[in-house]
Amino acid sequence: MAILETRDLSYSYDGENKAIDNINIKIPKGKITAIMGGNGAGKSTFFLNLNGVLTPDSGKVYFKGNEVVYNKKGIREMRKEVGIVFQDPNDQLFSSSVRKDISFGAINLGLSEQEVKKRVDDAIKRVGIEELEYRPTHALSYGQKKRVAIAGVLVMEPEVMILDEPTAGLDPAGVSEIMTLLLEINRSMGISVVIATHDIDIIPLYCNHAFVFDKGRVIIEGTPKEIFSKADILRKHSLRIPRIAHLMEILKDKDYINVDESAATISAARASIKKVFSERRVEE
C-alpha cells in the first residue's frame, strides 16, 4: 500500500524550468524509502511539495489514497501527518532551549498541557537526548541538533517522516547513530521514513525501496538490490554504486571470480564469496 502518491507532479521556481517534472511515484507504507540523485536532481523540491512548503504548479499528491488540498486547512492537516526534517537543523531550531523547541509542534496542535508533556518526554527519550533537554539549542553540536530536529517532528506523531540528507555533516559514527535511530523509529512506531541522500552506502543497509531522480524526473525505481544492479544507468546520471558492490563488480569483471555483483553490503558480499570457495572445494 502506498502511503504517499504523486501523479504528474510538477513545480518550477521561475515559471519556465521545471525543478520537478511530472513525477509519478508511490511511496510504500511502513518502509524506509530513499530518494537518490545528484545536486539539482529535484529531491529537495519534491519534499517541499509533499509537505506543503511549496504548492505544485500541476499534478496531485495523495495521502493514504486521499487527494491533498493545497489550501490553509489542507496543508495544516497534511503537516500533522507528514513531517519534514531539513538538511541543516539550524534552519529548523529557533527556541531558546531544547525542550521548548521540541514542544512547539505539539503546542500548536492545541493539545492539553499533560499530553504535550507526555509527547515531549517520549520524543526526548526516543532520540536519546535526556541530558540535553534544558540546554540552549545554539550550544549543541551539529549531530545533537539533528536529533532535536527529529524529536520536534516526532511529537507531532506523524505517519510519514521526510528527511533531507539526514547524514550530511556527520562523522561515520554519527551517520550510523542517526540511521539506526531512524530504523528504530520506523520499526517501533510504524512511521514511514523517506530520505534524500548522497550517501549511497547507507541505502542497501537501511532502505527497503529507492527512487533515482535526475533533472526533476524519475529515472528508475526498485529495491536497493534492483537499483544497484543497474550500475551503468546510475553512472550515466552522476551516481555510483556502493563501494562493496563496486568491489564485487571488479572481482567478477577483472578477476573472473563468479561472485554476486548485486551484493552491496559486507554480509551479502561475505556470503557470496564464501559460496564461491565452497563450490570450488566441492569441484576439487
Side-chain angles (χ1 to χ4, degrees), residues 12-13 20 28 31 50 66 68 75 84 99 115 134 161 167 173-174 197 218 220 227 233-234 253 264 273 283:
S12 171
Y13 289 99
I20 52 172
K31 305 295 184 182
L50 291 184
N66 298 312
V68 174
I75 291 172
I84 187 167
R99 190 173 186 90
E115 179 64 17
Y134 296 108
M161 180 180 287
T167 61
T197 183
V218 177
I220 49 175
I227 292 287
I233 296 177
L234 293 176
D253 295 344
I273 293 170
E283 291 174 0

Side-chain angles (χ1 to χ4, degrees), residues 117-179:
K117 182 180 184 304
K118 176 180 175 296
R119 290 195 185 192
V120 172
D121 287 343
D122 183 61
I124 286 172
K125 184 177 180 180
R126 282 188 181 277
V127 303
I129 55 171
E130 293 93 332
E131 75 282 5
L132 304 176
E133 63 176 309
Y134 296 108
R135 284 195 194 176
T137 53
H138 67 80
L140 303 178
S141 71
Y142 194 76
Q144 290 169 339
K145 288 179 180 179
K146 291 237 180 192
R147 287 177 176 268
V148 174
I150 290 170
V153 171
L154 281 182
V155 296
M156 306 286 286
E157 297 187 353
E159 293 201 43
V160 182
M161 180 180 287
I162 295 174
L163 303 101
D164 194 358
E165 299 289 349
T167 61
L170 300 177
D171 60 22
V175 169
S176 179
E177 289 170 1
I178 284 292
M179 291 309 301

Side-chain angles (χ1 to χ4, degrees), residues 62-234:
Y62 294 84
F63 175 72
K64 295 172 68 172
N66 298 312
E67 183 181 346
V68 174
V69 180
Y70 282 78
N71 56 25
K72 188 174 182 179
K73 180 181 178 181
I75 291 172
R76 184 172 62 250
E77 291 301 313
M78 178 167 58
R79 288 179 181 169
K80 291 179 183 178
E81 306 294 349
V82 182
I84 187 167
V85 179
F86 297 118
Q87 177 175 340
D88 187 347
N90 292 307
D91 294 336
Q92 198 153 345
L93 308 181
F94 57 88
S95 297
S96 57
S97 75
V98 167
R99 190 173 186 90
K100 285 183 179 179
D101 208 288
I102 296 171
S103 303
F104 181 79
I107 291 171
N108 275 0
L109 290 177
L111 303 174
S112 67
E113 185 176 337
Q114 182 180 3
E115 179 64 17
V116 170
K117 182 180 184 304
K118 176 180 175 296
R119 290 195 185 192
V120 172
D121 287 343
D122 183 61
I124 286 172
K125 184 177 180 180
R126 282 188 181 277
V127 303
I129 55 171
E130 293 93 332
E131 75 282 5
L132 304 176
E133 63 176 309
Y134 296 108
R135 284 195 194 176
T137 53
H138 67 80
L140 303 178
S141 71
Y142 194 76
Q144 290 169 339
K145 288 179 180 179
K146 291 237 180 192
R147 287 177 176 268
V148 174
I150 290 170
V153 171
L154 281 182
V155 296
M156 306 286 286
E157 297 187 353
E159 293 201 43
V160 182
M161 180 180 287
I162 295 174
L163 303 101
D164 194 358
E165 299 289 349
T167 61
L170 300 177
D171 60 22
V175 169
S176 179
E177 289 170 1
I178 284 292
M179 291 309 301
T180 299
L181 171 61
L182 295 179
L183 185 63
E184 174 60 23
I185 288 170
N186 169 253
R187 289 177 174 175
S188 65
M189 301 180 71
I191 294 176
S192 304
V193 176
V194 187
I195 65 170
T197 183
H198 285 105
D199 193 345
I200 299 298
D201 295 294
I202 69 172
I203 294 174
L205 287 170
Y206 299 100
C207 299
N208 311 107
H209 202 75
F211 296 88
V212 177
F213 280 30
D214 191 27
K215 297 178 181 177
R217 291 177 175 269
V218 177
I219 306 304
I220 49 175
E221 72 164 291
T223 65
K225 185 170 185 175
E226 291 168 341
I227 292 287
F228 294 126
S229 69
K230 300 172 182 177
D232 290 344
I233 296 177
L234 293 176

